[in-house]
Amino acid sequence: MPRYTTVDYHTAGEPFRIVTGGLTEIAGTTVAQRRVTAAASEPVDRVRQLLCHEPRGHADMYGCFLVPPDDAGADLGVLFWHRDGFSTACGHGTIALGAWAVESGRVAADPDGVTDVRIDVPSGRVTARVRCRAGAVESVTFRNVPSYVLARGLELDTDLGTVTVDMSYGGAIYASVPAAAFGLTVTPDRHHELVAAGRAVQLALAGTAAARHPGDDRLSGVYGTILYDELPATASGPRQRNVTVFADGQVDRSPCGSGTSARLALLADELAGGAVLTHDSIVGSTFLGRVVGTTEAGGRPAVHTEIDGCAYRTGEHVFTLDPRDPLPGFVLR
């Protein structure tokens, strides 16, 4: 009977299941190659489904497989997964991994300082800067791959009407559109309508030039739709509330880490001079995002971003599959 061990966290309300044992080796010399292998491997994908789908998970579950990093410059390699497959980036997961790496002793940490946990993900190398006090994790800062604008003011015909979207990259490709464009606000009572709007945007963009990564086709495809509300600014800078609808209608409970980077790329001019984006989620949790430098990526102007959040352990598990079980995994929604 197979046994899979996990440590579960949540980051700002969004679940993250770290698989620590039971998985066979996934072939590849880089994390990006291992993502391709995992997606094409029935045995590996069967484990993803087992741990992500009901009855062990749910329609909005998220997690990762630990794999070797690309080289000795990183502490971890990670394949992120969700209900429908393997993603290229995950900011809330990176924050959780930083907390786990320090709390588990996987990475030796300064008990009263900041420790960098370097992580290779399919989109590149990211860093979780883990801040501790008296040996306890206080917060984690996610330093992402370079983020940049792909297109602004793209008029898009969807099943729910014509809207104007902005496209940007923060480790994955996101479409941003004000929730008001669909007559909505980002509140839990509009949850189902927000999911429908997010799906409509992704469907309209599927297979278009706007959904293609400019340098690596493995990163192509609109990962999520960010529907946002403008809120009164704080003393530190702008404030927005968002919900990110990704995969096939999956809802991010957190403000979305890589999505926040994508938003920071679009707001870079507004954030010049050290302003901070207060980024709220549909459940009321918050990330703080900053542009901390400029660079180029594939010949495009890009920004370095940092996002502050924290993650908390929710449990440790040993999952099994009884060979007599007729329901190894399913998704009702």
Side-chain angles (χ1 to χ4, degrees):
M1 185 180 297
R3 293 166 57 89
Y4 303 99
T5 59
T6 74
V7 181
D8 286 19
Y9 278 74
H10 84 85
T11 304
E14 178 71 358
F16 194 71
R17 175 164 289 165
I18 304 168
V19 182
T20 56
L23 187 70
T24 58
E25 183 177 349
I26 300 170
T29 58
T30 66
V31 172
Q33 289 176 359
R34 289 187 175 92
R35 175 177 176 255
V36 174
T37 300
S41 167
E42 183 179 347
V44 173
D45 200 52
R46 193 181 302 127
V47 178
R48 175 191 65 82
Q49 294 179 50
L50 182 76
L51 299 178
C52 187
H53 293 177
E54 299 177 57
R56 297 164 189 81
H58 51 80
D60 294 292
M61 191 64 194
Y62 214 110
C64 78
F65 296 145
L66 299 174
V67 297
D70 291 352
D71 58 51
D75 301 294
L76 305 169
V78 178
L79 299 181
F80 298 117
W81 46 252
H82 49 72
R83 185 185 74 192
D84 298 308
F86 294 87
S87 54
T88 61
C90 179
H92 92 273
T94 300
I95 290 171
L97 284 161
W100 168 78
V102 167
E103 291 175 345
S104 67
R106 179 74 175 254
V107 174
D110 183 341
D112 286 291
V114 177
T115 300
D116 285 353
V117 179
R118 292 167 292 274
I119 305 169
D120 284 336
V121 306
S123 59
R125 182 163 294 172
V126 299
T127 301
R129 308 200 72 198
V130 184
R131 188 170 292 100
C132 294
R133 180 181 295 179
V137 174
E138 280 199 325
S139 65
V140 181
T141 298
F142 164 47
R143 178 82 180 242
N144 202 2
V145 298
S147 302
Y148 46 85
V149 176
L150 292 168
R152 292 184 188 268
L154 180 65
E155 192 170 281
L156 188 68
D157 293 325
T158 78
D159 292 341
L160 299 178
T162 301
V163 295
T164 301
V165 303
D166 295 325
M167 306 294 297
S168 54
Y169 176 81
I173 296 174
Y174 290 91
S176 291
V177 58
F182 291 100
L184 300 172
T185 56
V186 180
T187 50
D189 61 304
R190 310 305 294 270
H191 166 266
H192 294 295
E193 295 163 281
L194 290 162
V195 170
R199 279 175 160 163
V201 170
Q202 286 175 267
L203 180 63
L205 287 166
T208 67
R212 295 188 68 84
H213 187 274
D216 186 344
D217 202 46
R218 293 174 299 183
L219 304 176
S220 291
V222 178
Y223 176 62
T225 303
I226 302 173
L227 297 146
Y228 64 93
D229 294 335
E230 295 283 0
L231 301 177
T234 72
S236 301
R239 184 172 194 170
Q240 296 179 347
R241 179 173 54 229
N242 90 95
V243 63
T244 299
V245 180
F246 63 97
D248 184 18
Q250 201 162 335
V251 174
D252 198 329
R253 274 74 172 152
S254 82
C256 188
S258 55
T260 297
S261 284
R263 292 296 300 152
L264 291 170
L266 289 163
L267 297 169
D269 290 344
E270 191 175 345
L271 295 170
V276 175
L277 171 66
T278 300
H279 216 203
D280 297 337
S281 77
I282 192 171
V283 303
S285 56
T286 300
F287 286 160
L288 299 177
R290 299 175 299 279
V291 173
V292 295
T294 59
T295 186
E296 282 194 358
R300 295 171 179 267
V303 293
H304 293 297
T305 63
E306 289 186 347
I307 297 149
D308 297 337
C310 202
Y312 302 92
R313 188 182 307 213
T314 60
E316 299 181 19
H317 308 279
V318 177
F319 290 103
T320 62
L321 175 61
D322 189 320
R324 302 167 299 171
D325 189 345
L327 292 174
F330 63 92
V331 178
L332 183 61
R333 176 174 67 76

